[in-house]
Structure formats: structure tokens, C-alpha cells
Amino acid sequence: MTPLDPGIALILLAAGRSERFGGDKLVADYKGKPLWTWAATAAEKAGFQHLYIVMAPRNSIEPGTRWNRVVNAEAVRGMGTSIAAGVAAAQAHERVVIALADMPRVTASHLRTLAQASGPLFTRQSDGKAGCPAAFDRASFAQLRELDGYRGARILAGPDVNMVEPAAPDMLVDIDRRSELDAENAR
């Protein structure tokens, strides 16, 4: 795909503890490759020129040279700290797209849609709520850098929030438990 504007960065969150999974889920096998690589590949194919991956201090992920590693020393305190760390690292950009490393079916075209919009834009989840992946302009960066604990970026979603529909509902599969990974691999 055509490269995106260099002022737009992608932040891939990969610092979770995988407690419900019972082990390091991001390196678990998903259809022949480590789980995290599927979302990373979608980001690379989407045309982002600047890629950030937020990881915990002890992490077994080995991102390629295109990825800027952001170590979140506070990762055990929740996703909010990872969003804050990623946005702080990408603060020179005008827009960021935030994606999750445990969503293997996210598509490059969906990430591009988020990147090329303006203002906050969330993905409509199956329950109708705003969720990830999501994108934000510089005007939201200060609020995102203040996130802490388990509060994610959804707190920026007001009643009139803009959302984009996923091309297919199964694009939003989020692997949290080993049984979910097993079911996906059996498909």
C-alpha cells in the first residue's frame, strides 16, 4: 500500500500480563505464527512509516527493525499506562492509531481508515460501544498521556463519539484465554 503521511504513527500495545491466558499469549502459536505478529503485519502493510510497540520490561517479543520499542516499566498497573507510554514516545506525530497485539484479525485497510480520518475515531465493537483500534489527533495526546491503571482510551469517547464499523465482525476477535486461541486455531 502507499505509505501513509509520516505525521501518523501506529502504537501497538503488547505489554499485558496475559493472566487470563495463563502464560505469554502474544508468543503463542496462532495459525502457524506468534499471535502478536498478525496485528504487527497488518500495521506494516497499512503503510505506517512510524511504528511503536509498547512492551513490558521482561517481554519475549522480538519486533523487527522497523519497530520503535517502548518499554513500559509500569505495565503491571494496566493498559492505561501502556497507552500513556506509547503516546509519550510518539508525541512528535500529529496523529496516532492505537491497536492491540492480541487482535490477530485486524486488517491493514481498517488501520488505514483510522489513520486517514481526523479527530478521535474509535472502532464500533459488537456491543455498539467505542473500542480499539482507535485513532487520535494531537489535541487528545495530553489526556492519553495521563491514562493510568485499567482505564483505556475509551474514557475519551463522549456521547457523540465518531466510530467506524469493522468490515467484518470477526475482525475484532481479541484473544484473552487459551480456549479462545484454541477455538480460533481450530477454525
Side-chain angles (χ1 to χ4, degrees):
M1 288 188 184
T2 307
L4 289 165
D5 182 315
I8 305 168
L10 180 119
I11 300 168
L12 186 63
L13 303 181
R17 294 183 293 177
S18 303
E19 287 180 337
R20 291 178 282 178
F21 191 82
D24 191 352
K25 71 177 174 183
L26 295 180
V27 296
D29 179 74
Y30 175 80
K31 301 198 181 288
K33 297 191 293 189
L35 176 63
W36 78 275
T37 63
W38 292 85
T41 300
E44 292 170 0
K45 287 181 178 178
F48 289 93
Q49 295 182 52
H50 299 279
L51 299 162
Y52 296 83
I53 184 165
V54 181
M55 304 183 307
R58 286 183 278 279
N59 197 308
S60 52
I61 291 175
E62 292 294 332
T65 57
R66 289 194 58 205
W67 289 87
N68 296 293
R69 296 174 190 220
V70 179
V71 177
N72 177 11
E74 303 296 324
V76 297
R77 292 190 14 234
M79 185 191 316
T81 65
S82 289
I83 294 169
V87 172
Q91 67 185 352
H93 300 283
E94 296 299 317
R95 185 166 181 80
V96 295
V97 174
I98 299 172
L100 304 177
D102 61 358
M103 291 181 76
R105 292 187 182 201
V106 69
T107 64
S109 62
H110 187 77
L111 296 174
R112 280 184 76 87
T113 296
L114 292 165
Q116 294 172 324
S118 60
L121 181 61
F122 291 84
T123 299
R124 183 182 310 276
Q125 304 298 300
S126 58
D127 63 3
K129 293 181 181 175
C132 212
F136 304 90
D137 287 339
R138 179 178 290 285
S140 299
F141 287 8
Q143 287 176 282
L144 292 168
R145 284 192 309 265
E146 291 176 9
L147 292 175
D148 192 13
Y150 292 97
R151 293 182 324 149
R154 187 181 295 176
I155 67 164
L156 277 68
D160 298 324
V161 66
N162 290 322
M163 290 189 276
V164 62
E165 297 286 337
D170 68 351
M171 186 194 82
L172 300 178
V173 165
D174 181 339
I175 306 294
D176 288 323
R177 293 176 172 79
R178 190 168 299 277
S179 60
E180 294 166 344
L181 181 69
D182 293 343
E184 281 295 306
N185 276 328
R187 289 183 65 181

